[in-house]
Amino acid sequence: MFHFLLVALLLCATPALAQEDVTLKPGPGLDTVVTSCAICHTLNYIRMNSVFLTPDAWKAEVTKMRDGYGAPIDDDTATTIVKYLAATYAAQPKS
Amino acid sequence: MNRRGLIAGAGAAALAAGSARAVEKPRWMSPLLPDGTREEAVLEALPGKQNLIRLTDRPPNYETPIDVFRTSITPNEDFFVRYHLAGVPTMTELGDWSLKVGGEAGERQLTLGLDDLHKNFEQVEVVAVCQCSGNRRGLSSPHVAGVQWAYGAMGSATWSGPRLKDVLAKVGVKAGAVEVWLDGADGPVLPTTPDFHKSLPMDKAMADETIIATAMNGQQLPHLNGYPARIVVPGWTATYWMKHIVSIQLSTRPLDSFWMQKAYRVPAGMFPVDHPFPTQDNQTSWPITDIVVNSVIAGPVEGTRLTTAGFTVQGVAWDRGHGIKLVEVSLDGGKTWQEASLRKDLGRFAFRAFTLPTGRLPAGDYVISSRATNNAGETQVDKLKFNPAGYHNNVPQQVAVTVA
């Protein structure tokens, strides 16, 4: 049921996405990021917040989206998103 | 200097670069912003608006270009746009708008239309600064997550409509009321996302200056600034200025909302506060409330080449309602300061425009700063009071220009 809802929302969102011209860097997990994040907001949020968040800070952002904003993302999906963001849009932690 | 002319030039340059769309970059963006923000931001005119700096379009977050801030009133078409959630009501959806006022601490429940707000209550005007709590977040060092605003998530306007306290009086306020809960017609995409709900403590809700605005600068509220009515809370950051207000509820309890208790918090005691909000305080953090004393230089814009004939430094200063006492301008990065002329006073919550003509100047590099002091004796801080959400940055700007 929820899956159906998400698909329906994504279909609704597709024209808006096409207009946005937002292209994220390629990498493992990109499809999951687009599917999960773009339901509620433009993917610009990721590029705008780059590059300064560390991998841990990106993890905290994904946690905030789940716990604070109620994003219906399971643990595996969250892990995939965090890995993608850490690999493509993260600042490396200062050693 | 003609902003639109300059923007047209920038747009032409972007086209010449072979962009797929007619992407116009802002004429100037602070080098303090994150690289991703500088790459992402473009100029875009929303319906009824001039070009604003687009940070995100879903939800819409657009800031006012810095060179607009030369006057005490910000025109509606230049006024910034900020939404938390992408469920923005259309003008058609707002066509059957009504406002419910009541709650458990109210004597009765009323449903008001726009005509009721116009005809059944005294109409008052207040000139006040509407400033996003996160204004200048993008300049925070270190950077913090969120919408990466530079200087333009603010504006000063003449707001008009009934006082909130008059509307609450019509409902009847019971003795146990501690907060007024606010909800607007905008909402989340998914039902699992907390709707944007805010509350006010009774003393600020009942303050003479707090109104339900149905007009802005003499016109109906622009769609994306809260049509047909929004709460105006002079002195406080814009998070309380609920747009498209549809519900005002008197409550005997503190509002338990993500937007009150998790977001919009500042470290306890870090910033000066006139109106405490004790029902929402905890041991380590307070809700952000009062605006800090601040100023912005609208011109000259950083990087400008000027002549030895000199130039006029122009900008605005504001605070949380004590009023601006003094604005000083430095041309040497803060080593020495000169007193600027203050323009007409439009009220203690308004922008106060200032000017400083430099007179003739020797050729060289200059770093212009402005520093405001309010009537409470508070001055902009030299060093950023870092906080995790990047709020209340009132460190003086450093505007580098060349005189040749």
Side-chain angles (χ1 to χ4, degrees):
Chain A
M1 177 62 192
F2 223 114
H3 185 69
F4 173 77
L5 177 67
L6 291 184
V7 170
L9 281 164
L10 257 190
L11 288 174
C12 293
T14 300
L17 290 180
Q19 286 167 16
E20 277 178 18
D21 266 351
V22 176
T23 329
L24 295 180
K25 292 180 203 165
L30 174 59
D31 290 350
T32 305
V33 169
V34 172
T35 309
S36 305
C37 306
I39 296 169
C40 292
H41 61 80
T42 169
L43 299 169
N44 270 5
Y45 274 87
I46 294 171
R47 302 195 341 174
M48 175 175 63
N49 280 282
S50 69
V51 173
F52 57 88
L53 296 174
T54 62
D56 278 350
W58 274 121
K59 188 177 181 185
E61 284 305 298
V62 173
T63 301
K64 183 169 86 183
M65 291 301 141
R66 297 175 77 190
D67 295 349
Y69 289 77
I73 297 170
D74 63 27
D75 289 346
D76 287 352
T77 305
T79 303
T80 302
I81 294 170
V82 171
K83 276 187 182 163
Y84 170 84
L85 293 170
T88 51
Y89 284 99
Q92 292 317 304
K94 292 193 178 78
S95 52
Chain B
M1 207 170 283
N2 183 327
R3 172 163 79 90
R4 274 143 214 151
L6 287 162
I7 286 164
L15 278 176
S19 164
R21 291 171 65 205
V23 173
E24 296 180 41
K25 293 297 283 183
R27 178 160 85 94
W28 175 81
M29 294 195 75
S30 172
L32 303 177
L33 287 167
D35 290 345
T37 306
R38 292 169 54 84
E39 288 162 16
E40 207 54 31
V42 294
L43 289 173
E44 187 171 271
L46 293 161
K49 295 280 184 185
Q50 292 290 343
N51 270 337
L52 298 175
I53 299 172
R54 183 185 86 193
L55 296 171
T56 67
D57 62 354
R58 190 171 55 89
N61 287 296
Y62 290 71
E63 73 171 82
T64 303
I66 197 165
D67 49 350
V68 168
F69 299 115
R70 295 161 191 267
T71 54
S72 299
I73 296 290
T74 311
N76 291 2
E77 60 269 25
D78 292 319
F79 217 90
F80 80 106
V81 170
R82 193 275 185 271
Y83 283 83
H84 302 85
L85 304 169
V88 178
T90 64
M91 286 297 272
T92 306
E93 287 164 342
L94 292 165
D96 61 356
W97 175 89
S98 66
L99 170 62
K100 288 190 165 48
V101 191
E104 62 183 9
E107 300 284 356
R108 59 192 75 80
Q109 180 89 26
L110 292 178
T111 300
L112 303 172
L114 203 48
D115 260 9
D116 297 316
L117 291 180
H118 284 148
K119 293 176 182 162
N120 298 341
F121 300 92
E122 184 189 348
Q123 303 293 298
V124 297
E125 274 191 359
V126 58
V127 184
V129 175
C130 177
Q131 179 179 222
C132 175
S133 307
N135 197 26
R136 306 194 183 185
R137 174 185 292 118
L139 314 177
S140 183
S141 177
H143 288 300
V144 295
V147 177
Q148 300 297 310
W149 302 107
Y151 297 93
M154 63 169 192
S156 171
T158 303
W159 310 91
S160 43
R163 291 184 193 92
L164 177 56
K165 73 172 186 181
D166 292 348
V167 174
L168 292 174
K170 190 150 267 189
V171 164
V173 182
K174 289 185 186 168
V178 298
E179 286 189 1
V180 175
W181 295 4
L182 308 171
D183 185 22
D186 45 325
V189 174
L190 294 179
T192 47
T193 301
D195 193 6
F196 183 64
H197 290 166
K198 298 293 291 188
S199 64
L200 290 170
M202 289 310 297
D203 76 320
K204 195 65 183 175
M206 302 299 276
D208 281 342
E209 67 268 15
T210 301
I211 70 170
I212 304 173
T214 59
M216 176 177 172
N217 293 331
Q219 300 169 294
Q220 72 176 29
L221 288 174
H223 174 209
L224 298 176
N225 295 115
Y227 177 86
R230 80 178 301 171
I231 302 294
V232 165
V233 191
W236 281 25
T237 63
T239 182
Y240 300 98
W241 298 42
M242 186 66 74
K243 297 186 292 295
H244 319 292
I245 182 80
V246 292
S247 172
I248 299 174
Q249 304 294 316
L250 287 151
S251 177
T252 58
R253 295 168 291 130
L255 176 61
D256 180 9
S257 155
F258 169 78
W259 301 101
M260 290 302 299
Q261 300 192 336
K262 298 281 188 267
Y264 290 108
R265 310 286 301 185
V266 292
M270 183 176 268
F271 301 100
V273 165
D274 289 335
H275 293 269
F277 199 164
T279 52
Q280 294 287 344
D281 287 352
N282 67 38
Q283 286 187 333
T284 56
S285 73
W286 295 350
I288 188 170
T289 55
D290 288 291
I291 294 171
V292 295
V293 63
N294 215 337
S295 64
V296 68
I297 295 167
V301 171
E302 189 167 21
T304 309
R305 288 183 73 83
L306 301 149
T307 71
T308 53
F311 52 89
T312 299
V313 180
Q314 290 178 281
V316 293
W318 66 98
D319 80 330
R320 64 185 182 280
H322 291 280
I324 294 302
K325 179 182 176 188
L326 171 71
V327 175
E328 297 160 290
V329 170
S330 172
L331 301 177
D332 55 13
K335 291 191 196 79
T336 61
W337 297 89
Q338 311 172 57
E339 189 171 339
S341 299
L342 298 180
R343 310 294 291 272
K344 191 177 173 194
D345 184 357
L346 298 186
R348 63 195 180 101
F349 297 109
F351 279 161
R352 190 82 188 263
F354 66 86
T355 55
L356 184 100
T358 64
R360 289 195 66 84
L361 289 171
D365 294 330
Y366 292 81
V367 176
I368 312 165
S369 289
S370 65
R371 185 172 73 180
T373 300
N374 69 5
N375 289 318
E378 295 154 358
T379 301
Q380 292 177 241
V381 299
D382 294 333
K383 188 173 178 300
L384 178 70
K385 290 186 182 180
F386 178 83
N387 61 95
Y391 296 143
H392 283 335
N393 180 344
N394 64 346
V395 177
Q397 266 168 288
Q398 302 253 306
V399 180
V401 297
T402 302
V403 169

